[in-house]
Amino acid sequence: MTDLKSRLTTVVSDAFAQAGLPAELGRVTASDRPDLADFQCNGALAAAKAAKANPRALAEEIVAILKPDPMFAAVELAGPGFINLVLSDATLSLRANAIAEDPRLGAGLEPAPRRVVVDYGGPNVAKPMHVGHLRASIIGESLKRLFRFRGDEVWGDAHFGDWGFQMGLLIVAVGDEQPDLDFLADGDGPFPSESPVSLADLERLYPLAAARAKTDLEYRDRARKATAELQGGRPGYRALWRCFVEVSRTALEREFSALDIEFDLWNGESDADPLIAGMVAELEAKGLLELDQGARIVRVAKDGDKRELPPLLVVSSEGSAMYGTTDLATIVDRRNRFDPELILYVVDQRQADHFEQVFRAARLAGYAAEDGLEHIGFGTMNGPDGKPFKTREGGVLKLHDLIEMAKDKARERLKDAGLGAELTEQDFEDTAHKVAVAALKFADLGNFRGTSYVFDLDRFMSFEGKTGPYLLYQAVRIKSLLRKADVEGHAAGEVVVVEPAERDLTLALDAYEAALAEAYARRAPNLIAEHAYRLAQTFSKFYAACPILVAADAKSRASRLRLAKVTLDQLDSALRLLGIETPERM
RNA sequence: GCGUCCGUAGCUCAACCGGAUAGAGCACUCGCCUUCUAAGCGAGCGGUUGCAGGUUCGAGUCCUGCCGGACGCGCCA
């Protein structure tokens, strides 16, 4: 199962070799001029430059070699030395049938599967998720699915923020409010397993405590002491902390699942904590630690650097672990548990320096291979003013509220379309939810992750043009068509490509593999989104140009039905990789 | 100050190792529902790719300088 582009690259590379030219110049790409050809090769231009020869003459030689191959309808020399390739209808028909019969819908596998950890989401105990978590979650989930689909063994890890000073703050805050709690007692317990606080309590108390600790030094010291005692293993604090973690995690999982985001692991910062002491000793033994201004650091600057990268702080002058320490220990933890060949950190681009420090330290310590750690940075989601998104009041918008806003819009639009009357309330709600999630995710994943984008709910939910709802609409249309075909007793049959719209649709289907391979290589889900949109649009043109159920003859109806079915399946596959589900009706 | 990223149509974004006529969507104009969902399809309008040089047969893409913007730069995460 090979896509046309790869197959053509092989064929044309062989022709280059036959002509005595470097085979790697035979790279074939989709044509820039669809009016002239299906595919093209620009290698003759590069070959001519290297050999100081006439590009047209070289290209002519290649054309002569390729021309007899019956897979082509035409092979032509154009412009300064482009080789234009037009495939025969028979070649395209063959390919369309192959994709239709392929359980992977034309998508390939990576030749050498790896063990990969995707670190994304980054939720924290007691903190409600806000819009900042949206990108990390959506992009990470998509990369996890993509890597898994390409054949890697993948663990998605939420990397739960369940440790550190915030926990001490919460213990103090809860203790002040409920001074009679059993958990506050010294000694070994036993302590209740029932949580004395709800998530709402935690979310209420945390910001207050954090603010107070900034100005009230006595309060801050109590929180620090509580943090130290918790980390030292004080049983009552541990038991209380476990309640915080459980209450938070349950609520967060519910929120993530509303976005179809599911983690394989909820390993927290607390899981890495027990490894820190040993790790520090090991770094010491390896001679990597240095005492500087009272702190223990690893110098990570390199000779070629354009600017001196600050050292990684492993132990602060107060003797505590920093977030870089935890990240480093987490690498050790993952190595021990899974021995991953690659760890992807899907985290805001602004933390690029931090990860560079951690990665360099990890390599120096031998915890990871040179190419085993990657920061997958992304830009911010901005408000209309171009600054990171805030509510009208200037606060952060909770993720939950954002999703509700999107669902309200979706309900409104579905009612306008008269769908409310057709569906049961449950189906209606389900569809509204899917439409809202598709709108949000497609708006996010449609852009390259590295660039920031402006959040504009009206535009995302406009249900027109290049949006999530448009893609769902195309999928739903096909589902409806197939239901009708079923009722009328029409079956799909062999694809025979005749019409231009059928050619274009086949070429669009074939491009799935190239899009996925590129998305994988560049860790860029927007290329999947781009493909899905192209496919949907190409189908829509086909739908308008080629009657399916009322086709002129039974053979062409069967052929078009199969094209419609495989388009739906591939669209569904691509959307699933983006984390988007399609409803039955809309 | 140093460093990273960015500047493409009125707006939001593409452009596959440097290749043909820089592409989509929105907005605007026009056409298309007595055939399968018009949340659609077709056509049109819209560009000195921030500015100035350079390399090349060929530059949005590579190099240099400048202008403008975002972000980061040791004990928060």
Side-chain angles (χ1 to χ4, degrees):
Chain A
M1 174 59 64
T2 318
D3 61 308
L4 294 169
K5 186 169 137 174
S6 312
R7 215 175 118 200
L8 290 169
T9 294
T10 307
V11 169
V12 177
S13 295
D14 286 351
F16 268 74
Q18 241 187 84
L21 298 169
E24 61 272 16
L25 294 179
R27 198 168 64 96
V28 170
T29 58
S31 179
D32 291 333
R33 295 285 305 272
D35 52 321
L36 299 179
D38 301 328
F39 294 91
Q40 65 182 347
C41 173
N42 301 341
L45 292 162
K49 189 166 194 165
K52 292 195 193 324
N54 178 352
R56 282 187 64 95
L58 294 183
E60 196 58 64
E61 248 184 281
I62 306 296
V63 168
I65 296 170
L66 294 174
K67 218 158 196 167
D69 192 321
M71 78 183 291
F72 299 114
V75 181
E76 273 159 4
L77 165 63
F82 302 111
I83 299 164
N84 280 339
L85 307 169
V86 182
L87 296 169
S88 69
D89 288 348
T91 306
L92 288 173
S93 300
L94 222 57
R95 178 61 184 151
N97 285 303
I99 297 171
E101 281 153 26
D102 180 6
R104 294 179 56 82
L105 290 319
L109 288 159
E110 290 302 309
R114 291 177 289 184
R115 288 182 302 282
V116 180
V117 171
V118 182
D119 179 319
Y120 69 107
N124 293 300
V125 166
K127 291 189 211 170
M129 292 203 286
H130 53 84
V131 293
H133 291 98
L134 187 70
R135 297 212 74 188
S137 307
I138 292 178
I139 296 167
E141 178 71 18
S142 180
L143 287 174
K144 182 190 76 179
R145 293 180 184 209
L146 174 63
F147 273 64
R148 192 166 283 158
F149 188 61
R150 298 297 289 172
D152 290 326
E153 187 178 357
V154 184
W155 294 270
D157 187 353
H159 195 50
F160 199 15
D162 64 352
W163 208 235
F165 183 61
Q166 309 98 292
M167 299 306 117
L169 271 176
L170 283 174
I171 289 171
V172 169
V174 170
D176 284 1
E177 196 168 75
Q178 305 182 48
D180 299 332
L181 276 184
D182 301 338
F183 295 98
L184 303 177
D186 251 327
D188 293 338
F191 298 100
S193 56
E194 192 92 341
S195 176
V197 285
S198 66
L199 182 74
D201 293 328
L202 293 177
E203 291 184 357
R204 173 173 54 81
L205 289 172
Y206 178 70
L208 294 176
R212 183 167 168 194
K214 276 187 186 151
T215 53
D216 184 341
L217 297 185
E218 184 267 341
Y219 190 78
R220 191 187 66 191
D221 286 343
R222 282 169 60 214
R224 280 193 176 161
K225 184 158 173 271
T227 307
E229 286 183 287
L230 169 71
Q231 300 191 350
R234 176 168 163 170
Y237 283 7
R238 283 283 183 153
L240 183 56
W241 166 77
R242 264 190 290 278
C243 293
F244 297 164
V245 169
E246 265 322 298
V247 164
S248 295
R249 179 172 162 172
T250 306
L252 288 165
E253 277 183 317
R254 196 163 46 230
E255 250 186 290
F256 277 120
S257 95
L259 284 169
D260 291 316
I261 288 164
E262 214 176 306
F263 298 99
D264 306 295
L265 306 166
W266 277 78
N267 286 344
E269 292 167 351
S270 62
D271 289 294
D273 191 67
L275 298 172
I276 288 177
M279 181 183 82
V280 170
E282 193 180 327
L283 293 173
E284 179 79 74
K286 287 182 176 169
L288 292 169
L289 280 187
E290 233 178 87
L291 199 61
D292 191 86
Q293 296 169 41
R296 311 185 76 186
I297 61 166
V298 175
R299 293 205 185 276
V300 295
K302 283 195 227 169
D303 278 348
D305 291 350
K306 293 201 170 171
R307 142 196 95 99
E308 192 176 317
L309 195 67
L312 182 76
L313 264 156
V314 179
V315 184
S316 79
S317 52
E318 289 182 1
S320 57
M322 303 279 89
Y323 75 124
T325 318
T326 306
D327 282 346
L328 198 56
T330 299
I331 293 173
V332 175
D333 189 31
R334 286 174 177 155
R335 187 195 56 181
N336 294 345
R337 292 178 198 235
F338 317 110
D339 194 22
E341 286 139 299
L342 180 63
I343 304 176
L344 301 180
Y345 293 82
V346 185
V347 183
D348 193 311
Q349 187 62 45
R350 288 176 292 194
Q351 296 199 36
D353 283 352
H354 166 68
F355 282 110
E356 186 60 27
Q357 292 170 309
V358 173
F359 295 172
R360 286 189 185 188
R363 288 170 194 138
L364 285 170
Y367 296 154
E370 198 58 38
D371 59 356
L373 302 165
E374 273 181 46
H375 174 216
I376 309 299
F378 53 83
T380 50
M381 188 178 98
N382 296 336
D385 58 352
K387 296 247 159 67
F389 193 87
K390 292 273 187 339
T391 58
R392 267 188 291 271
E393 294 75 33
V396 287
L397 180 63
K398 286 190 189 181
L399 196 50
H400 178 79
D401 296 338
L402 175 75
I403 296 169
E404 280 309 313
M405 280 164 60
K407 279 171 81 167
D408 284 344
K409 291 254 182 203
R411 288 189 196 100
E412 216 176 282
R413 189 61 186 85
L414 289 173
K415 279 195 180 124
D416 288 348
L419 205 69
E422 277 179 45
L423 297 181
T424 65
E425 195 182 325
Q426 199 185 346
D427 286 344
F428 181 83
E429 275 303 300
D430 180 64
T431 301
H433 183 81
K434 282 175 174 159
V435 168
V437 170
L440 291 175
K441 287 194 173 182
F442 192 80
D444 194 297
L445 295 171
N447 298 316
F448 177 66
R449 59 177 164 75
T451 57
S452 298
Y453 70 99
V454 176
F455 180 79
D456 179 350
L457 193 59
D458 285 328
R459 183 160 63 81
F460 301 163
M461 304 295 300
S462 80
F463 300 83
E464 262 166 33
K466 200 169 180 177
T467 64
Y470 170 89
L471 292 174
L472 297 191
Y473 173 70
Q474 296 304 341
V476 162
R477 232 179 177 189
I478 302 176
K479 288 186 182 183
S480 162
L481 178 81
L482 295 176
R483 275 195 301 267
K484 196 159 180 183
D486 201 40
V487 168
E488 292 178 6
H490 300 306
E494 191 193 352
V495 177
V496 183
V497 171
V498 182
E499 295 294 323
E502 294 169 333
R503 284 184 72 87
D504 291 345
L505 185 54
T506 301
L507 288 167
L509 287 164
D510 177 64
Y512 192 36
E513 163 58 13
L516 291 188
E518 189 74 9
Y520 180 89
R522 287 166 56 180
R523 290 87 165 99
N526 62 302
L527 297 172
I528 309 173
E530 195 68 39
H531 173 78
Y533 179 69
R534 282 274 278 280
L535 180 64
Q537 204 182 32
T538 308
F539 176 81
S540 195
K541 290 177 187 181
F542 162 77
Y543 183 86
C546 301
I548 299 168
L549 295 177
V550 288
D553 61 280
K555 277 196 92 150
S556 103
R557 177 168 55 221
S559 165
R560 287 169 186 178
L561 267 175
R562 175 147 295 169
L563 275 174
K565 174 74 166 68
V566 65
T567 299
L568 172 65
D569 290 345
Q570 197 187 76
L571 193 55
D572 206 60
S573 165
L575 288 174
R576 267 206 315 276
L577 293 178
L578 298 174
I580 295 173
E581 283 185 38
T582 55
E584 288 307 305
R585 291 169 221 274
M586 65 184 280

